Amino acid sequence: METRIFLVIVLLWSSWGYASDNVKVDSLKPRLIAVSPSKNIKNVNGILFKYFDEEEDFTPKKVNGLGIGCNVMGFFLPVLMLVSLPSVQSWDFGNSYPVIPKQRMNKINGLQLSLINMEPTITNGLEVSLSSNISTYAVTNGMSVSPFFNLHHEMNGVSVAPFANVGQKCRGIQIGLYNKCEDFRGIQIGMWNENGRRKFPLINWNFKKQKNT
């Protein structure tokens, strides 16, 4: 009797382990079309439809292709931000944008197309967004374009927006009515430009490494 009970336990344990391994393997298998939030998908070779993941439960995904942000908040945020545009000089990242390890971020190799992005994301390629990146850590390596404004923790490449480009660490070119980046190397083109070295209208620049303060 004891032998039978022992065999049953062993079989149940083996079955559970096999099922767990299958779930792990399935989560690593690339999908052609996927959605976020999703706990069981980590790799996408195609299209990822994003809504909004709570950061404490966030499961990062690697996308080779297209990431589409569908959060409808993106329709309303530009109006609120345009109302506060006169105070654009006080826009910063502060405690609302905590630094997130890159292994805990989405990685999109290709195109990020969104109404608004609220998931920590690294975009290697082109980012086109209505309302940019809000309340999240965002890194773009390539080009970022918005009809209103761009917000990034890190921007390596070209950032273009009619009203404002605001970043924390930028390497490349900012083009807009107002451009601001604390740790900046490159060229800013706009009505008013600010970087860690100087504030200047029309064209501003800095090609020197900034000293740590």
Side-chain angles (χ1 to χ4, degrees):
M1 183 66 178
E2 292 180 355
T3 302
R4 291 181 180 178
I5 294 174
F6 177 75
L7 288 173
V8 169
I9 292 173
V10 170
L11 287 171
L12 289 173
W13 180 262
S14 299
S15 298
W16 180 84
Y18 178 76
S20 299
D21 288 342
N22 277 351
V23 169
K24 291 177 182 177
V25 171
D26 189 57
S27 68
L28 295 175
K29 183 179 179 181
R31 303 295 180 90
L32 181 62
I33 299 176
V35 296
S36 180
S38 172
K39 302 300 177 187
N40 297 324
I41 298 174
K42 294 184 179 180
N43 294 291
V44 180
N45 291 335
I47 303 174
L48 174 68
F49 292 95
K50 303 184 298 173
Y51 180 68
F52 175 45
D53 255 343
E54 294 290 344
E55 286 192 0
E56 57 268 22
D57 299 320
F58 183 72
T59 302
K61 297 167 180 59
K62 180 179 179 181
V63 180
N64 296 313
L66 172 63
I68 300 179
C70 305
N71 193 325
V72 294
M73 269 188 63
F75 284 120
F76 306 103
L77 193 63
V79 178
L80 298 176
M81 297 294 279
L82 289 175
V83 169
S84 66
L85 197 62
S87 63
V88 66
Q89 287 182 303
S90 65
W91 292 6
D92 58 35
F93 292 88
N95 295 325
S96 298
Y97 293 80
V99 175
I100 297 174
K102 292 187 178 181
Q103 64 270 22
R104 292 287 302 151
M105 301 173 69
N106 284 334
K107 181 180 286 186
I108 298 177
N109 300 315
L111 171 63
Q112 179 179 190
L113 182 65
S114 61
L115 299 175
I116 185 174
N117 178 50
M118 301 182 72
E119 296 182 358
T121 302
I122 300 171
T123 302
N124 298 314
L126 175 62
E127 175 189 270
V128 180
S129 177
L130 184 66
S131 302
S132 196
N133 306 280
I134 301 298
S135 296
T136 192
Y137 196 91
V139 179
T140 296
N141 302 309
M143 185 172 187
S144 180
V145 179
S146 172
F148 296 103
F149 46 81
N150 284 313
L151 301 174
H152 296 93
H153 252 97
E154 297 182 35
M155 178 68 212
N156 301 298
V158 181
S159 181
V160 181
F163 293 103
N165 295 289
V166 179
Q168 185 68 27
K169 181 179 180 181
C170 312
R171 303 289 184 266
I173 301 173
Q174 288 183 321
I175 302 174
L177 185 68
Y178 174 79
N179 301 299
K180 175 184 177 182
C181 186
E182 294 298 323
D183 183 357
F184 183 82
R185 272 187 273 172
I187 297 174
Q188 297 170 307
I189 301 173
M191 289 297 295
W192 188 251
N193 309 290
E194 298 183 14
N195 59 48
R197 188 174 180 84
R198 66 171 70 83
K199 300 177 182 180
F200 220 71
L202 301 182
I203 298 177
N204 199 5
W205 64 93
N206 181 38
F207 299 106
K208 295 182 179 181
K209 185 176 180 179
Q210 293 178 206
K211 297 179 180 180
N212 295 326
T213 56

